Amino acid sequence: MDISSGNVDFGPACPGILMQELLRDQPEQVRKVTKFQTSFSQTHHFMLCPLPCKDLTTMHTFITSMSALQELSVLSYEPDGSSLWPAILHHASSLRSLSIHTPPLVLRDPQTWTADTISTLASNLPNLKHLEMDISLSEAESFFSDRKTYSTPAIDAVLNHLPHLESIQITIPLGDEASSFSDEQIWGASGCKYFPPPQSRVCENMAAALLERFPAGTTKRLKLRLTRRIWQDRAQFYCYAHCTEAAREEVADGKVAVEAEKTWGEYLPNWPGRIDERVWSRLMDEYRNGRW
């Protein structure tokens, strides 16, 4: 990763010490960052976020030190992500893409995406063109009770307040239990005995129906994503995702075409490349010595 490129990618980590190093040693390069991907966590999460940021104000300072952030992608492990919003709104005039997700089975009821939050975003991010948000499994299941009027408070807020979006991604974190989207995952002491495939046709129907509710003149693409853990030996696990994309075909009078993946794929981002040998060495020393 070359910070001078304007693209900073911390992968699954939230390395507070690295942010502090960059703010101290390369403040001008931080100021020029336009694309930022990170995790947001105050504590260590096994197999997910091994490098947390113990003081979350470091993240706020790092983001607000950028002069004109255009793309922000966050994996959030905090039950209340509201501390991120002031930093996000600092880039009200420049932000074009916003993604905030919580990995599956991390939080029981994350409060990141609420109708009030989306209303606030709409009032303060006039140039936002792409949004990635989560809805709960229970909210997603309500689609199957009435497909014509299906909605949730968060989706209603997007429809009412963000009609200028060009694309949106809606993620549904799954548990181990059976749902309309996949059968029950069965596992024992030696790991997963049965990791069922996703119900691709169900996802296709839902993605198409949701995109039909968005303005045809602006919103061209909607991606529906399922996320789920697979358990392996000694309770180790990996996160996987399944994506279904619905798109309006301009050559076919706006007709919606849908394409779904047939199986599960990778979910977590890759580890970042080295920025600086000295900084990287210190970062890994902190990790190995258990200071995270």
Side-chain angles (χ1 to χ4, degrees):
M1 178 173 59
D2 179 9
I3 189 174
S4 66
S5 68
N7 179 6
V8 172
D9 185 346
F10 289 149
C14 181
I17 190 170
L18 181 52
M19 295 181 216
Q20 293 168 0
E21 293 270 1
L22 292 171
L23 286 168
R24 187 191 66 203
D25 297 342
Q26 303 185 52
E28 280 301 307
Q29 298 295 346
V30 173
R31 189 178 68 81
K32 296 176 182 178
V33 170
T34 59
K35 184 177 181 180
F36 182 39
Q37 194 282 320
T38 185
S39 288
F40 183 61
S41 180
Q42 199 168 12
T43 57
H44 168 274
H45 286 270
F46 178 65
M47 299 288 289
L48 290 170
C49 182
L51 303 178
C53 181
K54 292 185 177 180
D55 183 357
L56 294 179
T57 59
T58 301
M59 176 72 75
H60 180 277
T61 302
F62 192 72
I63 293 176
T64 55
S65 295
M66 303 169 191
S67 62
L69 186 63
Q70 297 177 14
E71 300 180 35
L72 176 63
S73 179
V74 179
L75 282 172
S76 177
Y77 297 85
E78 295 299 311
D80 180 5
S82 61
S83 60
L84 266 178
W85 298 122
I88 292 171
L89 298 180
H90 179 78
H91 299 283
S93 61
S94 62
L95 200 65
R96 295 177 57 83
S97 175
L98 176 62
S99 167
I100 304 179
H101 294 294
T102 296
L105 297 179
V106 169
L107 301 171
R108 183 179 297 275
D109 186 25
Q111 295 298 308
T112 303
W113 292 107
T114 65
D116 289 342
T117 294
I118 292 169
S119 177
T120 299
L121 288 180
S123 302
N124 291 278
L125 301 177
N127 295 313
L128 193 67
K129 300 300 181 185
H130 177 74
L131 179 68
E132 298 185 11
M133 59 181 287
D134 294 346
I135 62 173
S136 68
L137 177 59
S138 60
E139 289 176 307
E141 289 283 12
S142 67
F143 169 79
F144 302 99
S145 61
D146 189 343
R147 302 187 183 196
K148 292 183 178 179
T149 61
Y150 164 77
S151 194
T152 70
I155 290 178
D156 275 342
V158 173
L159 290 166
N160 293 332
H161 300 297
L162 290 168
H164 56 279
L165 288 178
E166 295 177 358
S167 57
I168 182 170
Q169 178 174 288
I170 298 171
T171 295
I172 306 167
L174 304 183
D176 292 336
E177 70 277 9
S179 70
S180 299
F181 302 97
S182 187
D183 292 339
E184 179 184 6
Q185 179 182 188
I186 301 174
W187 60 288
S190 59
C192 182
K193 296 179 179 178
Y194 175 57
F195 189 63
Q199 299 287 349
S200 297
R201 183 58 60 86
V202 169
C203 296
E204 290 173 1
N205 292 338
M206 185 173 181
L210 285 173
L211 183 57
E212 292 282 10
R213 298 201 60 202
F214 283 84
T218 53
T219 309
K220 302 298 184 183
R221 295 182 180 277
L222 183 145
K223 184 178 287 187
L224 186 70
R225 186 174 71 157
L226 309 177
T227 59
R228 200 174 200 181
R229 291 189 188 183
I230 179 171
W231 300 91
Q232 297 188 336
D233 191 18
R234 295 179 298 277
Q236 298 180 39
F237 62 85
Y238 295 94
C239 291
Y240 287 97
H242 172 269
C243 294
T244 303
E245 185 169 20
R248 288 192 168 99
E249 302 288 347
E250 295 182 5
V251 296
D253 299 323
K255 182 180 178 181
V256 173
V258 184
E259 182 176 351
E261 296 175 346
K262 300 305 180 185
T263 187
W264 298 94
E266 294 296 327
Y267 169 68
L268 289 176
N270 294 324
W271 275 91
R274 299 187 180 189
I275 296 177
D276 174 282
E277 285 294 338
R278 180 182 57 84
V279 173
W280 185 264
S281 295
R282 182 179 173 188
L283 177 69
M284 298 315 295
D285 284 344
E286 293 282 336
Y287 174 56
R288 283 190 290 266
N289 293 331
R291 300 193 186 107
W292 295 92

